Amino acid sequence: DTAVSQTPKYLVTQMGNDKSIKCEQNLGHDTMYWYKQDSKKFLKIMFSYNNKELIINETVPNRFSPKSPDKAHLNLHINSLELGDSAVYFCASSHLTRRTAGNTIYFGEGSWLTVV
Amino acid sequence: SQKIEQNSEALNIQEGKTATLTCNYTNYSPAYLQWYRQDPGRGPVFLLLIRENEKEKRKERLKVTFDTTLKQSLFHITASQPADSATYLCAPMFSGGYNKLIFGAGTRLAVHP
């Protein structure tokens, strides 16, 4: 069974469109993340939710809006897509325990977004 | 600002040799450092975590060192195999934070038969 699954795996869309990427984890984790990996392979955190509460919100255009209906799901909605949004978006999850920070993060397989 | 540097060039080695990858960081003092492996078209996979009070951590053919004075971690793969070919990412992080990993750009390792 896939631990962190995200859909779609590939998405090609035109500039200006709105799209969503969905993510689900079955690991029982309380924290989920969205990371973006650009063409230079840098993996940058965008958002994190802990028990449906937004705890990390990096400098990301407000066209990007995460939504966590429950702690097993974290979706990413992108409005008015731009060419520069083309990248691989990774969902991830972990247990968040402040006293033992450094917990392993489990990543999904990525969603390849191409904006044309 | 926080900065993480890994060898930007690919590392090519012969099968059976030891691969050594370097991770240097500046402008902060992480309490933990993790190493991940990423294969083409896949998500990163956790390999090892080392804490600031640990000098060295081993797991099978993998060894990680953490020098907080030099602000450097070294990742070693002994008796390397072609199956070890992948990109390896280091990710230092703070204690007490929200598990906010900051990743290096990664080093691509190619092990040749």
Side-chain angles (χ1 to χ4, degrees):
Chain A
D1 286 342
T2 305
V4 181
S5 58
Q6 50 186 113
T7 56
K9 187 170 178 68
Y10 300 102
L11 182 56
V12 181
T13 188
Q14 290 188 325
M15 277 195 304
N17 284 350
D18 303 339
K19 291 294 177 187
S20 292
I21 307 172
K22 296 185 176 182
C23 180
E24 175 182 2
Q25 57 95 3
N26 62 4
L27 296 168
H29 289 159
D30 58 5
T31 304
M32 296 185 72
Y33 312 80
W34 277 110
Y35 280 83
K36 177 181 180 180
Q37 189 168 42
D38 59 25
S39 57
K40 293 182 179 178
K41 303 302 182 186
F42 278 102
L43 194 61
K44 294 181 182 176
I45 191 166
M46 301 172 68
F47 303 103
S48 178
Y49 273 76
N50 173 250
N51 287 320
K52 302 196 296 177
E53 178 189 352
L54 183 64
I55 58 171
I56 296 175
N57 186 356
E58 293 296 286
T59 307
V60 176
N62 57 15
R63 298 182 294 103
F64 290 78
S65 53
K67 283 191 172 50
S68 182
D70 56 63
K71 67 178 186 179
H73 295 84
L74 179 62
N75 304 323
L76 183 65
H77 189 75
I78 315 170
N79 289 327
S80 304
L81 278 156
E82 299 177 357
L83 292 177
D85 297 332
S86 297
V88 185
Y89 293 85
F90 286 99
C91 178
S93 71
S94 74
H95 278 301
L96 181 66
T97 308
R98 287 198 193 219
R99 285 176 294 173
T100 58
N103 294 331
T104 300
I105 293 185
Y106 292 80
F107 286 85
E109 296 293 1
S111 294
W112 269 251
L113 173 64
T114 302
V115 182
V116 297
Chain B
S1 62
Q2 299 153 351
K3 193 174 177 183
I4 303 163
E5 290 182 347
Q6 295 186 250
N7 312 55
S8 57
E9 310 248 336
L11 180 63
N12 291 283
I13 65 166
Q14 208 66 31
E15 183 176 7
K17 301 291 186 185
T18 296
T20 298
L21 285 67
T22 305
C23 175
N24 295 300
Y25 55 91
T26 56
N27 297 331
Y28 69 126
S29 299
Y32 308 84
L33 193 144
Q34 299 187 19
W35 281 88
Y36 286 75
R37 168 181 172 146
Q38 186 172 23
D39 290 285
R42 308 295 297 274
V45 175
F46 171 78
L47 295 175
L48 280 169
L49 178 152
I50 187 166
R51 292 176 169 79
E52 63 179 340
N53 60 353
E54 297 175 319
K55 295 293 183 187
E56 181 179 298
K57 190 70 111 18
R58 290 176 186 261
K59 178 182 176 183
E60 298 172 354
R61 294 184 297 111
L62 309 180
K63 184 178 86 171
V64 173
T65 63
F66 193 8
D67 188 326
T68 55
T69 302
L70 291 178
K71 293 186 181 295
Q72 182 182 79
S73 175
L74 298 178
F75 179 81
H76 306 271
I77 306 175
T78 57
S80 59
Q81 304 166 0
D84 295 326
S85 299
T87 295
Y88 292 86
L89 307 167
C90 82
M93 68 173 292
F94 296 101
S95 170
Y98 282 118
N99 233 26
K100 180 180 168 182
L101 285 182
I102 300 174
F103 285 87
T107 298
R108 191 162 55 85
L109 172 67
V111 181
H112 302 283

